[in-house]
């Protein structure tokens, strides 16, 4: 079995290690996004603790006033955690869009530099 894997890896390793290096960045980003979507990060931990408060046995239940205060406090905590810890797909796409715009500007500047060099070389050749 190891010989079959070694033969396969010998054939495909240049593609995975040299030609498609940027692919691994995408694999990492997608893995992180899958984790955030599947497990929810901090939001899931807050939700599970709020669930534990709601599902307490009736013989340990608090008076209605203190239960309402506890529910309000749990809701406020979950809102703070959601605002601070969640990354949405929209955020990721906006960051990628900003990066692409910056990259486009860099490339345009490089093109302008090359065109100026071209004009300079042409004028030097005429002299």
């Amino acid at each position: 079995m190891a010989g079959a894997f070694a033969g396969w890896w010998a054939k495909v390793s240049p593609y995975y290690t040299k030609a498609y290096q940027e692919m691994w960045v995408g694999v990492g980003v997608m893995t992180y996004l899958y984790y955030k979507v599947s497990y929810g990060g901090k939001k899931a931990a807050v939700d599970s603790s709020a669930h534990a408060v709601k599902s307490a046995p009736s013989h340990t239940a608090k008076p209605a006033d203190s239960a309402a205060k506890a529910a309000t406090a749990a809701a406020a905590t979950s809102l703070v955690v959601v605002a601070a810890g969640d990354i949405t797909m929209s955020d990721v796409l906006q960051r990628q869009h900003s990066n692409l715009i910056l990259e486009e500007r860099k490339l345009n500047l490089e093109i302008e530099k090359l065109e100026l060099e071209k004009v300079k070389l042409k004028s030097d050749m005429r002299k």
Side-chain angles (χ1 to χ4, degrees), residues 1-8:
M1 184 73 169
F5 177 77
W8 172 80

Side-chain angles (χ1 to χ4, degrees), residues 60-105:
T60 61
K62 299 177 182 176
D65 186 38
S66 61
K69 288 181 183 177
T72 305
T77 304
S78 66
L79 289 177
V80 170
V81 172
V82 168
D86 280 355
I87 296 175
T88 63
M89 185 59 105
S90 175
D91 295 335
V92 172
L93 291 174
Q94 286 176 350
R95 289 178 186 154
Q96 287 178 343
H97 180 72
S98 299
N99 288 341
L100 287 173
I101 289 173
L102 290 174
E103 193 66 31
E104 182 183 16
R105 288 179 185 165

